[in-house]
Amino acid sequence: MKIIVNGKEAGSKETGCALCGATWGEYYEEIDGDRLFFCCDFCALEFKNMVNEVKKRTGWSKIDELIINGNYYTGRTCIAKLGEKEYKFYVKFNEEGDVGIFKEV
Amino acid sequence: MPICPSCEIKFNNWYDVAEHIDLMANKRSDKSHVMWLNRNLSIKRLSKEELAKKLEDYFSTPEGLGMWIRKRFIEKFYGENPHPFILAMQKPTRGVLLGYVIEHQHFLKNWVKVLSSIVFKTDKDEVVEYELENIAVEFIGYKGRPSHYELLLRMGESLGMSREKILNTQPLPDTQFAINTWRRIAEEKHWLITMACMHSLELVADRSLRNYGAKLHYFDPQILTSDEYSQAVKDFLREGYEADVSHAGEALHLVEKYAKGIEEEIQINVLKSFDAFSKYLFARLERGIELEPQLMRVITR
Ligand SMILES: [Zn+2]
Ligand SMILES: [Zn+2]
């Protein structure tokens, strides 16, 4: 999965956390066959919940590319891509790391 | 005394704090330390030396503690990316204002309860007076004027929602989370910390923020003379606009006066209060979106 966070490639130790782009921490999780880097388990949890929500709503079995813009304070406006298809959404997580607000845009 | 801004352990110097944070964030990926760094210092990993220097700079108060709080507030709410609720307040719709009313009634009730804990704990008469006056202004009414709480409810009614409906609407989870944060501070911390955490939030409506680098006002002051808004809306907004100008400043002055020895503890708790406030302001907008789905545009633009 190709991931762009606020304009920069992310998802490895060098490029930063797959959700927030931070390079602190040392946490990995395998998602859709890719070993992704996260700054903490909380970002990983939020990322997984977000990906599952997108799959549930689109019926896709995987995501090729994910563009994430925003942060903890503002929530995140994103584009998921699969082949030629695009799905735009807004997501904000709650205190438990679950999807709190999710809206197609 | 240098303190870990995440877990509040005390250390002898900033290098020791940096070493501790490096261990917690980089070796253990501890979410609360990582989040603190991401939200306040940098999302880029720093060496221990760089981190120690950055922490020391971040918490230093060359212009005094009050100014430190003011500048951090501006950074978080009025800086390059102003808070979405403040953006929405530049030309508030009915949904924005009703979201404000529904969530804010819970905030205001909790506000006076928390202030009363300061009255309970302090031994300074000037602080007791300041807080009791504030409680009166917010909740009881003062010098023949209706309380802010009453003005808020009238604003809601003028927008077409009954008082009963407003009062019977439970707070959104983010509002409740924020309220719990402030209650915990009031219960566990020194009264001066509570005072700093609460009154620094009043900076949100402080017009003088523009003089210190804020990019926006809380709302466009033209609203106060515009025909597009009801008298009740203008009355409520004007009250905050006029009252809080020197008000937050006065509290920060008192905090600074008595802060000796617990400055860092005040600073890190103020940051926690700001995070809670950000969530809470967002809840006002979330409530607004429930009533007016087009408002999503404010946050996805
Ligand atoms: Zn992260
Ligand atoms: Zn710590």
Side-chain angles (χ1 to χ4, degrees), chain A residues 20-38:
Chain A
C20 74
T23 49
W24 301 102
E26 192 84 69
Y27 189 86
Y28 292 86
E29 188 111 21
E30 193 171 309
I31 293 164
D32 288 354
D34 289 323
R35 189 167 180 259
L36 297 179
F37 171 84
F38 294 95

Side-chain angles (χ1 to χ4, degrees), chain B residues 3-9 11 17 20-21 24 30 32-33:
Chain B
I3 306 179
C4 169
S6 170
C7 63
E8 302 191 30
I9 296 176
F11 292 89
V17 179
H20 157 79
I21 293 181
M24 297 304 286
D30 174 71
S32 89
H33 288 79

